[in-house]
């Protein structure tokens, strides 16, 4: 046993150091007795605690947290027993380092403290935790931004996410439209949308961001230079730091993102600016996708509007009605079509056209649009069905597709109380005529399909309708529909005739609804082709009225 006297004159006894195998350890190690006196230490501990000497008191040379831990451990039996069993390490800081201290009790009162520098490990763990959090934020952003293909909703969501995770407030600025920028300002879960006429050059880095250039470092941007529109009214004072980055789009920038941080908080660092760019890349891609989808949807709506079958009504004293069902319930257009073209002059026939293009879906619908446009251009020649079919056949043969079509032309003219029809079928099912007696007749017309052969032939038939009688034009999607009790039987022409015979005296619209309902019930949920049907009915009664100075017939059923 050795007696030491410290610098203050206090004397105490210490035991020998024992084994010295740990002296060369790269980790600091200190042995202290029960009273807190330093018994022994290695070179690494001397480097860490320059004032340490054998015989000095521990609380004079090590951080307070370590001295306090030793005092509790050395003087408390339970704590000493815990130290022998291997307690959890302590953590504390010293001289800018984060230390992890492991105590080991010798059994006779001395405690050895092993110190491990955890600064790098803790920094790595913090960095890993930060990256995981940022990865989760980016995943959430991708999910939420892509959940809506509405450009306005996407702008709002981008601003809200940026305000929640990247700064105290965020502004998402869209490219200009007629010299005005859409600006969404988000803060604390709320947002505001405005239209601003702004000069991007006023905000450092904004003009470059809107053009897609790399961002200006945040340290180069003076928050005091921000215009009033760039700082929310309830922000609580001028911002202390500003970061601006571009929103990359598909080929062209999708806008710019401005992040604001309140004064008194640390400024945006390089890591946060990089994270903002990663977020902006996802937001820009989502915004571009939403805008592209919106533009395509607008174009699609315009094109579909031209391809959809028209709503039929009374034309020149004759009752017209039509019904259409595509092969897929999710589609709006297909390969069947119909049109009614009123006569441009008094006494001129109305031309009704119903056709069926080979195939279904969008490709077939494109050809129906071509046929309908061609027939419309040939209206001045509509008095000669054979000539119309010949010219239409030539137009289809010169196209780049290999599809063909069948159709039926019906020129309709009311004379007195009767309606006369000239019917011409080009490879199409023959029209059916429902008489007032309930008898169903088949029009004697036929011909070759169009768009397949160099020459098209046809034979026309003339049919007269008395008041209440109907002529039904239909596509083979009706008669060839498979269903029924076993799910495989064809609907067939006989069932169509029976269904039509039940429609005696009904107006054209009711006839169409009846035929569609029965055919639809027959196929159920099974697959089927496009179905189209047009009813032409001679009304029962006539009421005369003056329209634009001319006396015209208004007919009601």
């Amino acid at each position: 046993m050795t007696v030491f006297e410290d610098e203050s004159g206090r004397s105490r006894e210490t035991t020998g150091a024992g084994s010295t195998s740990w002296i060369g350890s790269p980790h600091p190690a200190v042995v202290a007795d029960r009273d807190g006196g330093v018994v022994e230490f290695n070179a690494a501990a001397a480097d860490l605690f320059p004032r340490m000497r054998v015989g000095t008191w521990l609380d004079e040379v090590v951080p307070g947290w370590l001295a306090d831990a030793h005092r509790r451990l050395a003087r408390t039996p339970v704590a000493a027993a815990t130290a022998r069993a291997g307690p959890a390490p302590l953590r504390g800081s010293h001289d800018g380092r984060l230390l992890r201290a492991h105590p080991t009790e010798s059994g006779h009162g001395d405690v050895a403290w092993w110190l491990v520098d955890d600064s790098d490990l803790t920094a790595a763990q913090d960095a890993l935790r930060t990256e995981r959090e940022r990865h989760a934020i980016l995943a959430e952003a991708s999910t939420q931004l892509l959940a809506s293909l509405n450009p306005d909703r996407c702008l709002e969501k981008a601003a809200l996410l940026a305000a929640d995770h990247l700064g105290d407030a965020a502004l998402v600025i869209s490219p200009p439209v007629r010299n005005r920028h859409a600006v969404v300002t988000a803060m604390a879960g709320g947002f505001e949308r405005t239209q601003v006429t702004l000069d991007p050059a006023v905000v450092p880095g904004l003009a470059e961001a809107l053009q897609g250039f790399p961002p200006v470092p945040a340290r180069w941007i003076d928050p005091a230079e921000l215009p009033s529109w760039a700082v929310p009214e309830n922000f609580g004072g001028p911002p202390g730091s500003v970061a601006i980055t571009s929103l990359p789009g598909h080929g062209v920038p999708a806008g710019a993102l401005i992040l604001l941080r309140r004064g008194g908080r640390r400024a945006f660092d390089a890591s946060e600016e990089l994270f903002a760019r990663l977020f902006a890349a996802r937001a820009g891609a989502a915004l571009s996708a939403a805008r592209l989808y919106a533009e395509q949807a607008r174009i699609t709506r315009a094109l579909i509007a031209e391809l959809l079958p028209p709503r039929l009504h009374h034309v020149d004293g004759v009752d017209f009605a039509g019904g259409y069902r595509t092969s897929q319930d999710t589609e709006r257009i297909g390969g069947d079509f119909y049109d009614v073209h009123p006569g441009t002059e008094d006494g001129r026939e109305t031309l009704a056209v119903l056709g069926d293009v080979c195939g279904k879906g969008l490709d077939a619908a494109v050809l129906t649009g071509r046929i309908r446009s061609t027939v419309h251009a040939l209206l001045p020649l509509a008095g000669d069905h054979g000539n119309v079919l010949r010219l239409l056949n030539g137009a289809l043969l010169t196209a780049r597709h290999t599809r063909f079509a069948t159709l039926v032309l019906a020129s309709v003219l009311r004379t007195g109380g009767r309606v006369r029809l000239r019917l011409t079928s080009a490879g199409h099912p023959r029209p059916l005529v429902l008489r007032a007696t309930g008898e169903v007749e088949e029009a004697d017309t036929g011909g070759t399909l169009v768009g397949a052969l160099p020459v098209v032939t046809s034979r026309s038939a003339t049919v007269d309708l008395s008041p209440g009688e109907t002529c039904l034009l239909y596509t083979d999607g009706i008669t060839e529909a498979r269903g029924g009790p076993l799910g495989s039987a064809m609907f067939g022409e006989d069932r169509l005739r029976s269904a039509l015979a039940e429609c005696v005296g009904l107006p054209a619209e009711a006839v169409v609804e009846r035929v569609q309902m029965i055919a639809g019930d027959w196929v159920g949920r099974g697959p089927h082709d496009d179905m189209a049907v047009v009813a032409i009915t001679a009304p029962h009664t006539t009421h005369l009225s003056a329209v634009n100075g001319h006396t015209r017939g208004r007919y009601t059923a």
Side-chain angles (χ1 to χ4, degrees), residues 171 173 198-210 216 220-223 225-231 242-244 256-258 260:
L171 290 84
I173 304 175
L198 57 88
D199 180 8
V202 174
V203 181
L206 180 57
E208 293 83 355
L210 288 172
V216 173
W220 292 3
I221 303 176
D222 184 0
E225 296 182 6
L226 291 180
S228 59
W229 59 263
V231 181
V242 181
I244 300 176
L257 173 65
I258 299 179
L260 306 179

Side-chain angles (χ1 to χ4, degrees), residues 187-251:
M187 180 180 164
F191 69 90
E192 179 183 8
R193 172 183 287 275
T194 57
Q195 293 285 334
V196 181
T197 301
L198 57 88
D199 180 8
V202 174
V203 181
L206 180 57
E208 293 83 355
L210 288 172
Q211 296 177 44
F213 290 109
V216 173
R219 64 181 182 276
W220 292 3
I221 303 176
D222 184 0
E225 296 182 6
L226 291 180
S228 59
W229 59 263
V231 181
E233 294 182 1
N234 57 343
F235 191 67
S241 182
V242 181
I244 300 176
T245 186
S246 177
L247 297 175
H250 298 156

Side-chain angles (χ1 to χ4, degrees), residues 137 155-172 184-191 232 235 257-262 265 268 279:
I137 292 171
L155 272 174
E156 296 163 3
K157 182 57 67 175
L160 287 170
L161 288 170
D164 288 342
H165 301 296
L166 278 68
D168 297 320
L171 290 84
V172 178
V184 177
T185 304
M187 180 180 164
F191 69 90
F235 191 67
L257 173 65
I258 299 179
L259 300 173
L260 306 179
R261 183 166 285 174
R262 291 188 177 91
R265 298 186 58 191
F268 291 104
F279 173 86

